[in-house]
Amino acid sequence: MISERGKEYILSARARGLGEQRVIWHHAFRNMLSPSLTSIALSATSIITGVFVAEIIFNFNGISRIIIRAMMGIPDAPAALGFAVYSVIMVLVLMFFLDVLQAILDPRIREGVLKS
């Protein structure tokens, strides 16, 4: 937000006489939102897919125990592949919601989608 406040479009909005609250919330906030949403979505996907490591470290009973048992002794490929598919589906769903939310909030993306 700090870097957005010094950009030319913010200065020109202020020069046109727009109020400070309108300039910040309507112009700067919307342009700052896209990188923040991307960062939040990537963090959420790493949390969802990193649950395996957290369960092992903190000795929680969950999906990690199933995966470890599947890989010990006789390898159980369907269980390991199931966890991999689950992780991929969760990442795809979160990224889809991110794309939809960015298209709703960012007019540059929305116009690009409509022109195609």
Side-chain angles (χ1 to χ4, degrees):
M1 183 63 102
I2 292 172
S3 67
E4 289 291 321
R5 293 182 82 176
K7 297 216 172 153
E8 286 185 24
Y9 68 92
I10 299 293
L11 296 175
S12 65
R14 286 185 183 133
R16 285 184 287 163
L18 293 176
E20 186 67 22
Q21 293 294 325
R22 180 156 172 90
V23 168
I24 296 299
W25 289 105
H26 187 70
H27 294 285
F29 183 71
R30 291 189 105 176
N31 285 331
M32 181 267 319
L33 204 56
S34 182
S36 298
L37 285 175
T38 302
S39 177
I40 290 169
L42 291 174
S43 296
T45 57
S46 67
I47 288 171
I48 289 173
T49 57
V51 72
F52 177 75
V53 175
E55 286 179 357
I56 291 173
I57 291 172
F58 295 110
N59 198 21
F60 291 141
N61 292 332
I63 193 81
S64 64
R65 188 169 306 275
I66 295 169
I67 299 302
I68 289 172
R69 284 185 187 161
M71 298 314 290
M72 290 180 143
I74 300 172
D76 187 11
L81 288 174
F83 179 71
V85 169
Y86 162 77
S87 298
V88 168
I89 288 173
M90 292 306 295
V91 168
L92 287 175
V93 167
L94 280 170
M95 289 300 142
F96 174 75
F97 284 127
L98 171 69
D99 289 342
V100 169
L101 190 60
Q102 282 183 338
I104 290 169
L105 295 176
D106 194 353
R108 296 172 295 183
I109 296 173
R110 190 170 45 240
E111 291 172 4
V113 169
L114 295 176
K115 286 181 183 178
S116 296

